Amino acid sequence: MARPSNIKSSFIKTPSPFFTFLPVSPFTSLLNKFPSLRIHRPYYSSRPRSYLFVFFLLILLSLLGLSLLRLVSVSQDPSPSFLTLLSPPPSHPPFASPSSNNHEPVVLSRSATMPLPAHPVSGNATAEEAEFWAQPDGEGYRPFLGGLNQQKIQIVDAVVIARILEAALVVPVLAVDQIWEDESEFSEIFDVDHFKRTLQADVRVVSSLPSTHLGSKPTINTQMPDNLNRGGVLILSGMYSKLSKNLPLDLQKLRCKVAFHALRFVSPIQKLGDKFARILWIKGPYIALHLRLEKDVWVRSGCLTGLGPEHDDIIRKIRKSQPKLLTERLNMTNTQRRLAGLCPLNALQVARLIKALGVPRTAQVYRAGGEPFGGAQALQGLVEEFPNVVTKEMLAREGDLSPYINRSSAMAALDYIVSLRSDVFLPSHGGNMGSAMQGHRAYLGHRKFVKPNHRGIVGLLEDTSISEAEFSSIMKKMHRRHQGQPEKRTNERSSSRGVTAYPVPECMCRHGNRSLLRS
């Protein structure tokens, strides 16, 4: 069936309207593929027996086509087109889920990560502590698909683009980061076989270009393509956030399927991350903090470290030598960025915030993130207030982390797993990790996720006239509706909200005595 030539591009360049696609049946596909089988009425009307013979032959071929479609997800033409993705390396790779037998079909209801049970509030906890550890009301929302960062978004969108262009997808290649110089391959972080099996009904995924395409001259795009010629090879480079946030429902659900089901860590990383999470969980509830205090964060954000002139000068020199790394607004001073809430909260600010929200001094605090720029000095404010701060390095036994030395992607994956399993998660800065964790925790049942109000916090932190009790009261009121409660993506801000950060309502609906939500 011919389709209007502008349909594919309409999904990509602007927020698209809702399209309904009419699937091509195996019967029609066979007619299109074999012109000799097309019906010519004058011929059949004059030969009834031939008509019956061809009619039954077509039925037989249709049944054969149906059986083949169970085994092959995408029609394998002699010269299919291929889509490859060159994505920046992850600073915090996605999600994990239980391992499964490579020969078993993927069941979506079992392929998403299952969170550790929430801890019951102990009898000796104060009312303030009990309120903090309490989970938000999920309002009955559950995934109905059957389930981080820049890498996650690009991989998710690459699958969707391949679906729109009806192209096969080559397993993504991760570029070497300019800061961390991590050369990890996709297969070293994610389970490639699981990725292929989970998406086999949606997109054909291949590990590499076939020999028939090795001589093809690839087209390298930094903009969304309108189409892809049969037999062609298209390389997507620097496609971050180019795909519209608003797509038809089936493509939105595909995004969730990729993010929360298809992208699964390889077994060694997953098992080690689960081990760290259980060490903490057995001792009681714990909060995971993602502190964005690494050198690259200060370089990219355009903010000062607050650690003194010596450290600030180092950041300025790196930023001056590599100006393209600066990602925030170029025409703003450091003070303007900070007051606008664009700078990461430092360790002291995070400590004051979580203390004000009710975290007890004895709480287990897991610190996710890389080595902070400034070392122990950068963490001093947090450690002094909460002595039970731990990291993956502190939880690991001798040799546990040896395979991942100088591999920031694998280290970030471990942080992701432990953070996803935590009772409460709080990021010191927005970014891709925070967005990925927000959506993933929502998808798993709206586990508590505290989203700091950066703009509101900074001014109050600098106001020395406010008492600790008053500051605590203000912080609790300010964050009451920002703790992971269900929040619809489809509102006036839907053009800037991704479905993998706000899975309600496209990927989740209400169950039980709650009304079914589909909008």
Side-chain angles (χ1 to χ4, degrees), residues 87-225:
S87 70
S91 56
H92 297 279
F95 27 72
S97 51
S99 59
S100 62
N101 191 306
N102 288 339
H103 302 289
E104 293 181 357
V106 174
V107 180
L108 288 185
S109 61
R110 297 200 300 264
S111 64
T113 302
M114 302 316 301
L116 294 171
H119 286 87
V121 179
S122 59
N124 58 355
T126 65
E128 185 179 40
E129 294 172 3
E131 179 184 1
F132 178 79
W133 294 118
Q135 295 297 320
D137 180 9
E139 300 179 12
Y141 284 105
R142 297 178 187 174
F144 71 95
L145 284 181
L148 319 165
N149 57 50
Q150 188 168 344
Q151 172 196 343
K152 170 187 172 181
I153 298 171
Q154 292 213 17
I155 294 172
V156 169
D157 282 354
V159 173
V160 175
I161 294 170
R163 171 77 170 269
I164 294 172
L165 297 178
E166 299 178 349
L169 175 68
V170 180
V171 170
V173 176
L174 307 181
V176 178
D177 186 84
Q178 298 180 53
I179 298 290
W180 301 107
E181 299 182 352
D182 182 3
E183 298 182 358
S184 296
E185 296 183 3
F186 183 90
S187 60
E188 295 177 303
I189 306 299
F190 301 108
D191 187 333
V192 175
D193 291 336
H194 178 81
F195 184 73
K196 292 179 179 179
R197 290 198 312 275
T198 305
L199 299 175
Q200 63 185 355
D202 305 286
V203 173
R204 181 185 173 199
V205 181
V206 296
S207 298
S208 60
L209 283 175
S211 58
T212 55
H213 286 67
L214 291 179
S216 302
K217 183 178 180 179
T219 301
I220 302 178
N221 272 29
T222 57
Q223 299 295 324
M224 286 298 173

